[in-house]
């Protein structure tokens, strides 16, 4: 399956993607995680991305689209993928449509995670991620690690993302409403959007997402 996950910052895209990718045997491709890996490896791409991410803005399409396409072209994504955080504006969505069409492929679904803004703020405020791999995600209250500040998956140190400061979160939410939400209409016109509530326990949301993707009522 080829799936796009969409939803505001802190909706639980990364958290759900980890479970859905496992259940569906497809790779989880997060442009945010790819940028954070470049930042920790201090690449030129990482230095450029950091200046935009720290301000809560989108990294320019010129670099983002190429990076996402390179990742999707890797062997493990041949039979499908779960995109998290890409596309994030209409021009990225159009670039993805074109790239898939050129390969004779298409998306199967766009899963839209709905969460009220006050819940998103609570989720982001308590989020801690791993220094070794930013796809290892915890929450101080909702998904605490077994040992404080230590990653359950790999033993890495947990920390708070630099763009999770309150004023940056507000900016990211504005950018989401202005630039990312329009992709939902873009994909509704293609009949691809399934919307679910992302409230409730992590495993309940995963169940709801799996049912929705299997075409059952969620
Ligand atoms: P990115 O890393 O994609 O961040 P985001 O979209 O803002 O989303 P988040 O990662 O903040 O939230 P999430 O939905 O993944 O939530 P999570 O699962 O962690 O992007 C960061 C930046 O990179 C962007 O601002 C931009 O600068 C740049 N960028 C990335 N892609 C780009 C693109 N395509 N174009 C241009 N720029 C791009 O969950 C949040 C917390 O809630 C966690 O602590 C988790 O444990 C907890 N939680 C999850 N589910 C539940 C639940 N059901 N109940 C209780 N707690 C829960
Ligand atoms: Mg994420």
């Amino acid at each position: 399956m080829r799936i796009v996950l969409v939803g505001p910052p802190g909706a639980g895209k990364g958290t759900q993607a980890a479970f859905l990718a496992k259940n569906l045997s497809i790779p989880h491709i997060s442009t945010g995680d790819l940028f954070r890996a470049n930042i920790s490896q201090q690449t030129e791409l990482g230095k450029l991305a950091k200046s935009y991410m720290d301000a809560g803005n989108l990294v320019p399409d010129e670099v983002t689209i190429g990076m996402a396409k390179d990742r999707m072209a890797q062997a493990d994504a041949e039979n499908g993928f779960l995109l998290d955080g890409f596309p994030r504006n209409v021009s990225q969505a159009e670039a993805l449509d074109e790239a898939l069409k050129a390969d004779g492929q298409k998306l199967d679904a766009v899963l839209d995670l709905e969460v009220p803004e006050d819940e998103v703020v609570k989720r982001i405020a308590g989020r801690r991620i791993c220094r070794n791999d930013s796809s290892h995600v915890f929450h101080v209250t909702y998904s605490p690690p077994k040992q404080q500040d230590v990653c359950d998956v790999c033993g890495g140190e947990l920390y708070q993302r630099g763009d999770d400061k309150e004023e940056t979160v507000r900016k990211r939410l504005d950018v989401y409403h202005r630039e990312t939400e329009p992709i939902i209409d873009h994909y509704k016109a293609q009949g691809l959007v399934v919307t679910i509530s992302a409230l409730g326990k992590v495993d309940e949301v995963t169940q709801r997402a799996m049912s929705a993707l299997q075409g059952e009522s969620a």
Side-chain angles (χ1 to χ4, degrees):
M1 281 185 105
R2 293 181 176 84
I3 301 167
V4 167
L5 263 185
V6 66
K13 299 181 297 295
T15 302
Q16 290 305 323
F19 294 104
L20 296 174
K22 202 170 166 207
N23 286 351
L24 298 166
S25 303
I26 48 177
H28 166 205
I29 299 179
S30 155
T31 41
D33 287 341
L34 291 172
F35 285 134
R36 281 183 287 276
N38 273 278
I39 291 171
S40 56
Q41 287 154 19
Q42 300 184 338
T43 67
E44 286 306 312
L45 173 62
K47 282 178 208 158
L48 175 85
K50 188 174 185 324
S51 60
Y52 291 92
M53 291 168 80
D54 283 350
N57 286 317
L58 296 188
V59 180
D61 289 348
E62 299 83 78
V63 290
T64 305
I65 292 170
M67 179 184 75
K69 279 195 201 169
D70 285 349
R71 177 64 189 86
M72 284 184 273
Q74 287 177 20
D76 64 341
E78 204 178 339
N79 296 318
F81 47 69
L82 182 58
L83 295 178
D84 158 11
F86 181 87
R88 221 177 178 97
N89 58 27
V90 171
S91 54
Q92 292 181 10
E94 288 169 349
L96 176 63
D97 289 348
E98 275 170 36
L100 290 171
K101 199 170 161 199
D103 285 342
Q105 298 166 352
K106 60 179 188 52
L107 291 175
D108 295 291
V110 173
L111 185 66
D112 170 26
L113 300 183
E114 261 188 358
V115 193
E117 208 136 303
D118 57 342
E119 175 68 13
V120 152
V121 170
K122 281 189 223 157
R123 288 185 183 184
I124 290 182
R127 171 166 52 194
R128 298 292 181 271
I129 63 165
C130 176
R131 282 224 188 267
N132 295 339
D133 183 336
S134 72
S135 72
H136 302 164
V137 180
F138 300 85
H139 188 283
V140 290
T141 322
Y142 303 138
S143 303
K146 290 192 185 81
Q147 196 184 331
Q148 198 183 340
D149 298 331
V150 179
C151 176
D152 287 356
V153 183
C154 70
E157 182 201 358
L158 300 182
Y159 75 105
Q160 184 161 34
R161 262 168 56 176
D163 61 348
D164 280 353
K165 288 194 296 275
E166 198 186 323
E167 68 271 22
T168 318
V169 170
R170 230 176 288 127
K171 180 68 194 289
R172 285 161 57 204
L173 282 164
D174 285 349
V175 169
Y176 177 75
H177 294 310
R178 201 175 54 244
E179 305 209 33
T180 308
E181 265 179 354
I183 74 168
I184 297 174
D185 280 338
H186 172 90
Y187 287 125
K188 272 189 181 160
Q190 300 180 24
L192 289 172
V193 177
V194 275
T195 301
I196 63 161
S197 163
L199 283 176
K201 288 190 186 140
V202 170
D203 58 342
E204 289 167 358
V205 180
T206 309
Q207 276 305 319
R208 219 175 280 149
M210 286 301 292
S211 306
L213 290 173
Q214 285 155 2
E216 295 165 22
S217 60

